[in-house]
Coordinates of all heavy atoms in Angstrom, one line a residue:
L1 N -2.5 40.4 -201.9 CA -3.9 40.2 -201.9 C -4.3 38.8 -202.4 O -5.4 38.3 -202.2 CB -4.6 41.3 -202.7 CG -4.4 42.7 -202.2 CD1 -5.0 43.7 -203.2 CD2 -4.9 42.8 -200.8
N2 N -3.4 38.1 -203.1 CA -3.8 36.8 -203.7 C -2.7 35.7 -203.3 O -2.9 34.9 -202.5 CB -4.0 36.8 -205.2 CG -5.2 37.6 -205.6 OD1 -6.2 37.4 -205.0 ND2 -5.1 38.4 -206.6
L3 N -1.6 35.8 -203.9 CA -0.6 34.8 -203.9 C 0.6 35.1 -202.9 O 1.2 36.2 -203.1 CB 0.0 34.5 -205.3 CG -1.0 34.0 -206.3 CD1 -0.4 33.9 -207.7 CD2 -1.7 32.8 -205.9
P4 N 1.0 34.2 -202.1 CA 2.1 34.5 -201.2 C 3.4 34.5 -201.9 O 4.4 35.0 -201.4 CB 2.0 33.3 -200.2 CG 1.4 32.3 -200.9 CD 0.4 32.9 -201.8
Y5 N 3.5 33.8 -203.0 CA 4.8 33.7 -203.7 C 5.3 35.0 -204.2 O 6.6 35.0 -204.5 CB 4.6 32.7 -204.9 CG 4.1 31.4 -204.5 CD1 2.8 31.0 -204.8 CD2 4.9 30.5 -203.9 CE1 2.2 29.8 -204.5 CE2 4.4 29.2 -203.6 CZ 3.0 28.9 -203.8 OH 2.5 27.7 -203.5
D6 N 4.6 36.1 -204.3 CA 5.1 37.4 -204.8 C 6.3 37.8 -204.0 O 7.1 38.5 -204.4 CB 4.0 38.4 -204.7 CG 2.9 38.2 -205.8 OD1 3.1 37.4 -206.7 OD2 1.9 38.9 -205.7
I7 N 6.4 37.4 -202.7 CA 7.5 37.8 -201.9 C 8.9 37.5 -202.5 O 9.8 38.1 -202.2 CB 7.4 37.3 -200.4 CG1 8.4 38.1 -199.5 CG2 7.6 35.9 -200.3 CD1 8.3 37.8 -198.1
N8 N 8.9 36.4 -203.2 CA 10.1 35.9 -203.9 C 10.6 36.9 -204.9 O 11.7 36.8 -205.4 CB 9.9 34.5 -204.5 CG 9.6 33.5 -203.4 OD1 10.1 33.5 -202.3 ND2 8.8 32.5 -203.8
Q9 N 9.8 37.8 -205.4 CA 10.1 38.8 -206.4 C 10.7 40.1 -205.8 O 11.3 40.9 -206.5 CB 8.9 39.2 -207.2 CG 8.2 38.0 -207.8 CD 9.1 37.3 -208.8 OE1 9.8 37.9 -209.6 NE2 9.1 35.9 -208.8
Y10 N 10.5 40.2 -204.5 CA 11.0 41.5 -203.8 C 12.3 41.4 -203.3 O 12.8 40.3 -203.0 CB 10.0 41.9 -202.8 CG 8.5 42.1 -203.2 CD1 7.5 41.5 -202.6 CD2 8.2 42.9 -204.3 CE1 6.2 41.5 -203.0 CE2 6.9 43.0 -204.8 CZ 5.8 42.4 -204.1 OH 4.6 42.5 -204.6
S11 N 12.9 42.6 -203.0 CA 14.2 42.7 -202.4 C 14.1 42.1 -201.0 O 13.1 42.2 -200.3 CB 14.6 44.1 -202.4 OG 15.7 44.4 -201.5
P12 N 15.3 41.6 -200.5 CA 15.3 41.1 -199.1 C 15.1 42.2 -198.1 O 14.9 42.0 -196.9 CB 16.7 40.5 -198.9 CG 17.2 40.3 -200.3 CD 16.5 41.3 -201.3
T13 N 15.0 43.5 -198.6 CA 14.7 44.6 -197.6 C 13.3 44.7 -197.2 O 12.9 45.5 -196.4 CB 15.2 45.9 -198.2 OG1 14.6 46.2 -199.5 CG2 16.7 46.0 -198.4
V14 N 12.4 43.9 -197.9 CA 11.0 43.8 -197.4 C 10.9 43.0 -196.2 O 11.1 41.8 -196.2 CB 10.1 43.3 -198.6 CG1 8.7 43.0 -198.1 CG2 10.1 44.2 -199.8
N15 N 10.7 43.7 -195.1 CA 10.7 43.0 -193.8 C 9.2 42.6 -193.3 O 9.2 41.8 -192.3 CB 11.4 43.8 -192.7 CG 12.8 44.1 -193.1 OD1 13.6 43.2 -193.4 ND2 13.3 45.2 -192.9
N16 N 8.2 43.3 -193.8 CA 6.9 43.1 -193.3 C 6.0 42.7 -194.4 O 5.6 43.5 -195.3 CB 6.4 44.4 -192.7 CG 7.3 44.9 -191.6 OD1 7.5 44.3 -190.6 ND2 8.0 46.0 -191.9
Y17 N 5.6 41.4 -194.5 CA 4.8 40.9 -195.6 C 3.7 40.1 -195.0 O 3.8 39.2 -194.2 CB 5.7 40.0 -196.4 CG 5.2 39.4 -197.7 CD1 5.2 40.2 -198.8 CD2 4.7 38.1 -197.8 CE1 4.6 39.8 -200.0 CE2 4.1 37.7 -199.0 CZ 4.1 38.5 -200.1 OH 3.5 38.0 -201.2
I18 N 2.5 40.4 -195.6 CA 1.2 39.7 -195.1 C 0.6 39.3 -196.4 O 0.4 40.0 -197.4 CB 0.3 40.8 -194.4 CG1 1.0 41.3 -193.1 CG2 -1.0 40.1 -194.0 CD1 0.3 42.5 -192.4
C19 N 0.0 38.1 -196.3 CA -0.8 37.6 -197.4 C -2.2 37.2 -197.0 O -2.3 36.5 -195.9 CB -0.1 36.3 -198.1 SG -1.1 35.7 -199.5
I20 N -3.2 37.8 -197.6 CA -4.5 37.5 -197.2 C -5.2 36.5 -198.1 O -6.3 36.1 -197.9 CB -5.4 38.8 -197.1 CG1 -5.6 39.5 -198.4 CG2 -4.8 39.7 -196.1 CD1 -6.5 40.6 -198.4
Y21 N -4.5 36.0 -199.2 CA -4.9 34.9 -200.1 C -6.2 35.2 -200.9 O -6.4 34.4 -201.9 CB -5.2 33.6 -199.3 CG -3.9 33.1 -198.7 CD1 -3.5 33.4 -197.4 CD2 -3.0 32.3 -199.5 CE1 -2.3 32.9 -196.8 CE2 -1.8 31.8 -198.9 CZ -1.5 32.2 -197.6 OH -0.3 31.6 -197.2
E22 N -6.9 36.2 -200.7 CA -8.1 36.5 -201.5 C -8.5 37.9 -201.3 O -8.5 38.4 -200.2 CB -9.3 35.5 -201.3 CG -9.8 35.7 -199.9 CD -11.1 34.7 -199.8 OE1 -10.9 33.5 -199.5 OE2 -12.2 35.2 -200.0
Y23 N -8.9 38.6 -202.3 CA -9.3 40.0 -202.3 C -10.8 40.0 -202.2 O -11.5 40.2 -203.2 CB -8.8 40.8 -203.5 CG -9.1 42.2 -203.4 CD1 -8.7 43.0 -202.4 CD2 -9.8 42.8 -204.5 CE1 -8.9 44.4 -202.3 CE2 -9.9 44.2 -204.5 CZ -9.6 45.0 -203.4 OH -9.9 46.3 -203.4
S24 N -11.3 39.8 -201.0 CA -12.8 39.7 -200.8 C -13.1 40.6 -199.6 O -12.2 41.0 -198.8 CB -13.2 38.3 -200.4 OG -12.7 37.9 -199.2
P25 N -14.4 41.1 -199.6 CA -14.7 42.0 -198.5 C -14.4 41.5 -197.1 O -13.9 42.2 -196.2 CB -16.2 42.2 -198.7 CG -16.4 42.0 -200.1 CD -15.4 40.9 -200.5
I26 N -14.6 40.2 -196.8 CA -14.3 39.6 -195.5 C -12.8 39.7 -195.2 O -12.4 40.0 -194.1 CB -14.9 38.3 -195.3 CG1 -15.0 38.0 -193.8 CG2 -14.2 37.2 -196.1 CD1 -15.8 36.7 -193.5
M27 N -12.0 39.3 -196.2 CA -10.5 39.4 -195.9 C -10.0 40.8 -195.8 O -9.1 41.0 -195.0 CB -9.8 38.6 -197.0 CG -10.1 37.1 -197.0 SD -9.8 36.3 -195.4 CE -8.0 36.5 -195.3
V28 N -10.5 41.7 -196.6 CA -10.1 43.1 -196.5 C -10.4 43.7 -195.2 O -9.6 44.4 -194.5 CB -10.7 44.0 -197.7 CG1 -10.3 45.5 -197.5 CG2 -10.0 43.5 -199.0
N29 N -11.6 43.4 -194.6 CA -12.1 43.8 -193.4 C -11.1 43.2 -192.3 O -10.7 43.9 -191.3 CB -13.5 43.4 -193.0 CG -13.9 44.1 -191.7 OD1 -13.8 45.2 -191.4 ND2 -14.5 43.1 -190.9

């Protein structure tokens, strides 16, 4: 919901990763 860098913390088994860069109504929509 904020930072794309979080993916570096997850296991390589995470295959589907989306970053919306901000948790705002327009981005959640």
